[in-house]
Amino acid sequence: MEKKTEPEDIVGLSEEDASKRLKEAGYNELPSQKKQGFLPIMFNILREPMLLLLLGSGLIYFFVGEINDALMLLFFVLVVVGITFYQERKSERALEALKNLSSPRALVIRDGKQKRIPGREVVPDDILIIREGDRVPADCVLLFCSNLLVDESLLTGESIAVRKSEWDGKTPNVSPGGDDLPFVYSGTLVVQGHGIARVTSTGIHTEMGGIGRALEAISGEETLLKKETGLIVRNFAIGGLVLCIFVVVAYGLTRGDWLNGLLAGLSLSMALLPEEFSVVLLIFMSMGAWRMSKRHVLTRKMPAIETLGSATVLCVDKTGTLTVNRMILSSLFAKGEYYDADKNGHLPLPEKFHELLEFGYLASQKDPFDPVEKEIKNGTEKFLCDTEHVHQNWKLVREYPLSKNLLALSNVWESYDRRKHVIAAKGAPEAIAELCHMDGEQKKELMFHVQKMADKGQRLLGVAKSGFIDDILPDKQHDFKFEFIGLLGFVDPVRPGVSEALAECYSAGIRVIMITGDYPGTAQHIARQIGLKDPERFITGTELSGMSQQELQEMIRTVNIFARVVPEQKLAIVNALKANGEVVAMTGDGVNDAPALKSAHIGIAMGMRGTDVARESSAIVLLNDDFSSIVAAVRLGRRIFDNLKKAVTYIFSVHVPIAGIALFPILLKLPLILLPAHIAFLELIIDPACSTVFEAEPEEKNIMNRPPRNLKERLFGKESFYCGLLQGISVLAVVVVVFVLALYLGKGETEARTLTFATLVIANLTLIVANLSWSKSILGSFNPENTALRFVIIGALSTLVLVLYVPALRNLFHFSVLHYDDMLIVFIAGILSVAWFKLLDIRSKMDIG
């Protein structure tokens, strides 16, 4: 009959001993990460140059009397601070998720009695009873087990459960992974069998606790975009401050009016302070996150979208990322013939394979947790439900478990007529061959078929049957006379669309590396299926552990498969790639992936199968676990950087004529052209244009047919600087000519200002259109998909008409009425100030973008 659940002589700890140990060792949980207080977080946020610049801009507006503009900027500061504060708090949840996962309920033996307690109250040397479906609450050594299979994928990444054995009193504790080890680990799941274990480690001292410590020690990577834009803002701020001081001094010395000189300098600083950068960054990232959400991608850290567009290496965990993390019955072999269940699954199963599936099911649990046994059950219900091969009224009378010496198990059933026992066995093909007492020739023939199926990446189970009439069953499986039936082949299928997504990664210049805890052969088979480059070359975890950091950095340049690795090695691989100057994106779904996800430039977690720890440690979460969504994220990341680069160039180019017009009258002792109201008007065009219009622009056609941008390439490099400067000087020259010509022709100060300002508005709109695309003409840049462009142009022109022809507004802006011939001059001058640049295709010759 069945073995007993646990030995009778185990009494476990007493409640008194347990209480003492709880005080000494503490609760069986991971310590919460120390939360930052409100003031430290606020201090760190407000140290950002962009926010300091925004605060400075708001104060300047306030002191010059522009209360509405000041309040608007300060309100925007509060919005940015609020969003940043929320993200800071959210990033602290990784350890909380790990803590919750690691503390399930536990069944212990205390004072000789079974007792269910919270997992956090388990102490070292507690005796645990573990059964199918239980989450192991602590690291333990097994005192007794029967048919025990444990899913350790949370720690190793492997979807196949590992077999456990009883402790012999000598085997030292080792890392998770591998069969026939007498240790079970906190957070892992029992999928079959039962056992009794003694707790060896709790809380932070467990394997999962080690991952928690690694998470705590890793600092997040500051995005390249944030670094670059911070530098740009600093340079703009310094330039604005220098020009402001120069204007105050020049005005005071040349005109003797220091107060008006100070006001003129403040006006210039308002025109130059690049508050648009904060608007651009927030809107680009927020809209990028929204666009990604439509593709079932959650962005936890918005700047990571742009950084993903710069990724040069994508590290992929095989199980659950490239594959579906589910065992599928792929093929059957019986009576010398193969049957492809993948291709013919919609057809009835041929009769000659019925017995193979029948006894495979009899050798499994009736209500299995193990994914392989679940698939056997599903196949039986699908193909044999209306046949005599399903025995619902048979009774299970004994189980022969797996052992180190024999990797097979047997179930003994009492037939419905009780005339005999029917024995069903399944296990490794070699073990089944041994049970069937095959001779050398038979084994050779069997192994030929085994190798043929294994070459297709299948995990194989042999199936055998036997009968026994006596009531007293033998002690060992070997004592039965087994007859070999056949082989069952299972695969963890590749996710749909992975091959296409991988090909697009290669066309985009992104290298893909597979990191897995599986065997090299399986990894290579998957690599060939999906089209991974150089599948013949691989490095195992054992080989990797013997390498120095320098050796790993050298080897990792050419090897794309890392097999049989442990979590610490995944982290080492990511760090080696970063040391080689790569921008690393890392996908994963298990607790074991969390340190590597956090260390990578972009951590990408799987949302459906991923653990809370992986999701909280990542920057991006694929909600539908679709690998192809990564390619969409890369495409969007590149589009964001391209459009951000265009927007920054536009911001710079449009500020050149504004600053020049503010300086020009002061240097030549001419009437002032731009007043604070005019600058506010221009900002109403610049702000939405540099944010919404450029953000909404579709990607360039070649965006996924070029390599990732060089790490040394700056968002606002020399080419962009010279291009923006040339555009700005061109506009400045034209509007200055219009102003001087108007005065020369005898027009008054108000008329000259009106002509000049209207020309600057038209030139500004032309600058927007000219910078929208690097590959299209001005007319071609009017994309019907970009509705924001239409709104900005129509809104700017309509507002210009209102301030020119509505008397109250005209007086407020100190303008005069423009006649039809004046408007013709304005449009021709404004458009030509930029169009010549586009017509000569100077940007293309300068190889911008």
Side-chain angles (χ1 to χ4, degrees):
M1 301 301 288
E2 276 190 292
K3 290 185 179 180
K4 296 181 181 180
T5 303
E6 68 277 348
E8 295 178 354
D9 57 345
I10 293 181
V11 296
L13 295 176
S14 67
E15 289 294 346
E16 185 179 351
D17 286 340
S19 297
K20 288 181 181 179
R21 291 171 188 266
L22 188 61
K23 290 179 181 178
E24 294 171 358
Y27 284 109
N28 177 35
E29 58 189 11
L30 298 183
S32 299
Q33 190 178 30
K34 187 178 180 181
K35 294 184 178 180
Q36 297 185 69
F38 175 79
L39 291 178
I41 291 179
M42 292 300 295
F43 178 73
N44 288 331
I45 293 172
L46 292 174
R47 288 172 58 193
E48 293 293 326
M50 291 182 195
L51 288 177
L52 290 175
L53 208 53
L54 275 175
L55 285 170
S57 300
L59 292 175
I60 291 172
Y61 275 111
F62 180 79
F63 285 122
V64 298
E66 298 291 335
I67 304 300
N68 291 334
D69 290 327
L71 291 176
M72 179 185 70
L73 282 176
L74 293 175
F75 174 75
F76 183 69
V77 169
L78 291 176
V79 172
V80 174
V81 168
I83 292 173
T84 310
F85 184 83
Y86 173 73
Q87 290 296 331
E88 287 281 343
R89 283 296 193 197
K90 197 173 182 181
S91 66
E92 295 179 352
R93 295 180 185 172
L95 285 178
E96 286 297 318
L98 192 61
K99 172 183 170 182
N100 293 337
L101 181 63
S102 65
S103 186
R105 306 246 335 145
L107 183 62
V108 300
I109 300 176
R110 287 184 180 173
D111 293 318
K113 298 178 181 179
Q114 295 184 20
K115 183 179 181 182
R116 182 74 67 176
I117 64 172
R120 67 193 299 266
E121 295 179 8
V122 169
V123 297
D125 290 328
D126 247 333
I127 302 299
L128 299 179
I129 299 174
I130 52 177
R131 296 169 177 164
E132 287 183 9
D134 285 350
R135 184 76 67 177
V136 180
D139 287 6
C140 309
V141 60
L142 286 165
L143 305 178
F144 162 82
C145 65
S146 175
N147 281 351
L148 189 63
L149 292 179
V150 180
D151 179 358
E152 296 182 346
S153 61
L154 286 175
L155 296 172
T156 65
E158 278 312 299
S159 59
I160 299 174
V162 292
R163 183 177 58 254
K164 295 297 179 180
S165 63
E166 296 175 8
W167 190 45
D168 58 7
K170 301 177 182 179
T171 305
N173 201 348
V174 294
S175 298
D179 288 320
D180 296 320
L181 294 175
F183 307 103
V184 290
Y185 303 94
S186 175
T188 58
L189 180 67
V190 179
V191 296
Q192 181 178 302
H194 53 266
I196 295 177
R198 177 174 57 80
V199 176
T200 56
S201 302
T202 60
I204 201 167
H205 303 293
T206 62
E207 286 289 327
M208 190 174 289
I211 296 175
R213 291 194 300 273
L215 275 176
E216 209 167 21
I218 298 170
S219 58
E221 189 78 15
E222 189 178 39
T223 66
L224 300 173
L225 176 63
K226 193 172 183 181
K227 296 174 184 177
E228 293 177 15
T229 50
L231 183 63
I232 295 171
V233 170
R234 188 198 68 183
N235 292 339
F236 262 74
I238 292 173
L241 180 62
V242 170
L243 283 175
C244 177
I245 295 172
F246 175 77
V247 166
V248 173
V249 174
Y251 200 100
L253 291 177
T254 57
R255 304 192 186 189
D257 189 347
W258 290 95
L259 179 59
N260 283 327
L262 179 60
L263 293 174
L266 290 174
S267 296
L268 177 61
S269 67
M270 282 189 285
L272 286 177
L273 283 174
E275 67 270 16
E276 297 93 355
F277 282 118
S278 290
V279 178
V280 164
L281 279 177
L282 181 67
I283 292 182
F284 267 62
M285 296 300 104
S286 298
M287 290 298 294
W290 174 74
R291 294 184 193 280
M292 289 307 299
S293 69
K294 295 175 70 176
R295 295 174 171 87
H296 306 288
V297 176
L298 172 66
T299 307
R300 295 190 63 255
K301 300 173 184 176
M302 290 188 288
I305 300 177
E306 179 277 331
T307 312
L308 186 59
S310 309
T312 58
V313 176
L314 176 59
C315 294
V316 184
D317 185 59
K318 177 187 72 67
T319 305
T321 305
L322 297 175
T323 64
V324 297
N325 196 20
R326 185 164 62 91
M327 301 308 294
I328 303 295
L329 181 59
S330 175
S331 61
L332 299 88
F333 171 77
K335 299 179 181 177
E337 292 188 21
Y338 298 96
Y339 183 77
D340 193 328
D342 272 344
K343 294 182 179 178
N344 305 310
H346 61 287
L347 300 174
L349 184 69
E351 179 66 35
K352 66 176 61 179
F353 298 100
H354 283 197
E355 188 179 47
L356 172 61
L357 199 53
E358 172 190 5
F359 277 84
Y361 181 50
L362 287 173
S364 305
Q365 298 289 318
K366 277 194 172 183
D367 297 305
F369 282 84
D370 179 62
V372 171
E373 293 195 346
K374 281 184 178 180
E375 182 63 11
I376 293 176
K377 180 181 180 182
N378 292 337
T380 303
E381 292 174 348
K382 178 180 178 181
F383 293 117
L384 305 181
C385 61
D386 296 324
T387 70
E388 73 280 5
H389 297 284
V390 179
H391 312 284
Q392 298 291 352
N393 54 352
W394 284 16
K395 180 183 177 182
L396 179 66
V397 295
R398 181 162 179 179
E399 301 174 41
Y400 290 89
L402 292 163
S403 68
K404 290 183 180 181
N405 299 324
L406 186 66
L407 302 180
L409 61 84
S410 300
N411 284 347
V412 180
W413 297 86
E414 187 178 78
S415 61
Y416 73 96
D417 58 6
R418 298 187 178 182
R419 291 184 178 179
K420 69 173 182 177
H421 295 106
V422 176
I423 302 95
K426 76 174 192 298
E430 299 88 342
I432 295 299
E434 187 177 342
L435 279 180
C436 295
H437 303 288
M438 290 185 177
D439 58 29
E441 195 62 34
Q442 289 174 321
K443 283 185 180 180
K444 184 177 179 182
E445 182 182 355
L446 173 62
M447 295 315 296
F448 169 79
H449 297 297
V450 167
Q451 189 62 46
K452 189 173 181 180
M453 295 175 74
D455 286 343
K456 298 179 181 179
Q458 298 178 9
R459 182 195 178 194
L460 299 177
L461 282 179
V463 179
K465 68 176 182 178
S466 181
F468 196 77
I469 299 177
D470 294 344
D471 292 333
I472 301 176
L473 297 172
D475 293 332
K476 298 179 181 179
Q477 300 178 71
H478 266 297
D479 294 333
F480 296 113
K481 294 182 179 180
F482 280 103
E483 176 187 346
F484 178 75
I485 301 176
L487 300 170
L488 296 172
F490 302 86
V491 294
D492 186 1
V494 171
R495 287 186 178 276
V498 167
S499 299
E500 294 79 3
L502 185 63
E504 194 162 1
C505 283
Y506 286 143
S507 70
I510 301 172
R511 180 181 166 205
V512 179
I513 293 177
M514 181 194 297
I515 303 176
T516 177
D518 214 333
Y519 290 96
T522 305
Q524 287 179 301
H525 178 76
I526 296 295
R528 294 187 185 98
Q529 275 189 285
I530 64 176
L532 190 74
K533 290 182 178 178
D534 300 322
E536 292 77 21
R537 302 192 63 190
F538 63 86
I539 293 177
T540 64
T542 304
E543 294 169 340
L544 194 151
S545 62
M547 292 182 182
S548 67
Q549 179 71 12
Q550 292 296 327
E551 289 174 327
L552 178 57
Q553 284 180 228
E554 188 60 35
M555 291 292 293
I556 209 169
R557 297 180 192 276
T558 55
V559 176
N560 296 326
I561 298 177
F562 288 82
R564 302 300 288 171
V565 298
V566 295
E568 294 79 7
Q569 292 173 327
K570 292 185 179 184
L571 183 59
I573 291 169
V574 171
N575 289 338
L577 288 167
K578 290 168 65 178
N580 284 344
E582 305 282 4
V583 179
V584 184
M586 163 79 185
T587 68
D589 59 1
V591 173
N592 63 302
D593 296 320
L597 287 172
K598 190 173 181 182
S599 179
H601 293 97
I602 314 104
I604 308 169
M606 298 297 160
M608 293 178 68
R609 294 186 180 273
T611 61
D612 289 343
V613 180
R615 287 191 290 269
E616 292 291 340
S617 299
S618 65
I620 294 173
V621 179
L622 304 183
L623 297 177
N624 58 354
D625 286 9
D626 188 350
F627 181 78
S628 61
S629 296
I630 299 174
V631 179
V634 170
R635 179 185 294 273
L636 185 59
R638 292 187 174 194
R639 166 183 161 178
I640 286 174
F641 184 80
D642 282 359
N643 290 346
L644 192 54
K645 193 171 183 179
K646 297 171 187 176
V648 169
T649 303
Y650 160 73
I651 292 171
F652 176 68
S653 64
V654 79
H655 277 80
V656 170
I658 294 174
I661 292 172
L663 279 171
F664 173 73
I666 297 171
L667 297 176
L668 299 182
K669 295 184 179 181
L670 294 173
L672 293 177
I673 301 173
L674 290 183
L675 303 175
H678 304 148
I679 297 172
F681 183 97
L682 291 170
E683 289 296 329
L684 288 176
I685 302 174
I686 296 171
D687 285 351
C690 65
S691 54
T692 56
V693 173
F694 282 95
E695 192 282 327
E697 183 66 14
E699 67 266 12
E700 301 283 346
K701 290 183 179 179
N702 68 335
I703 197 167
M704 292 300 284
N705 293 316
R706 65 185 194 223
R709 70 182 179 95
N710 193 300
L711 287 176
K712 296 180 181 179
E713 180 189 347
R714 294 169 59 184
L715 180 66
F716 190 63
K718 290 182 179 179
E719 296 87 356
S720 296
F721 172 78
Y722 290 132
C723 178
L725 183 64
L726 188 56
Q727 285 181 328
I729 291 174
S730 173
V731 173
L732 175 61
V734 170
V735 295
V736 166
V737 167
V738 169
F739 181 70
V740 173
L741 189 60
L743 292 177
Y744 179 77
L745 293 175
K747 294 182 181 292
E749 176 185 328
T750 304
E751 285 183 276
R753 176 186 293 119
T754 307
L755 275 169
T756 306
F757 182 80
T759 303
L760 182 58
V761 171
I762 300 303
N764 186 6
L765 295 176
T766 311
L767 271 176
I768 295 170
V769 176
N771 283 284
L772 278 177
S773 176
W774 297 328
S775 58
K776 300 176 184 176
S777 65
I778 288 183
L779 291 177
S781 296
F782 282 97
N783 194 315
E785 297 179 22
N786 196 338
T787 56
L789 176 62
R790 295 203 304 270
F791 284 130
V792 166
I793 292 176
I794 294 172
L797 293 177
S798 300
T799 308
L800 180 61
V801 169
L802 289 175
V803 300
L804 291 178
Y805 298 105
V806 175
L809 293 175
R810 186 168 64 242
N811 294 333
L812 180 64
F813 279 82
H814 303 283
F815 285 158
S816 63
V817 175
L818 289 182
H819 303 292
Y820 291 114
D821 55 343
D822 296 327
M823 291 299 293
L824 185 61
I825 293 172
V826 165
F827 273 91
I828 292 175
I831 292 173
L832 288 180
S833 67
V834 180
W836 71 272
F837 185 88
K838 195 75 172 179
L839 291 173
L840 291 178
D841 199 22
I842 292 177
R843 176 179 271 278
S844 176
K845 292 175 183 177
M846 293 176 71
D847 194 28
I848 304 299

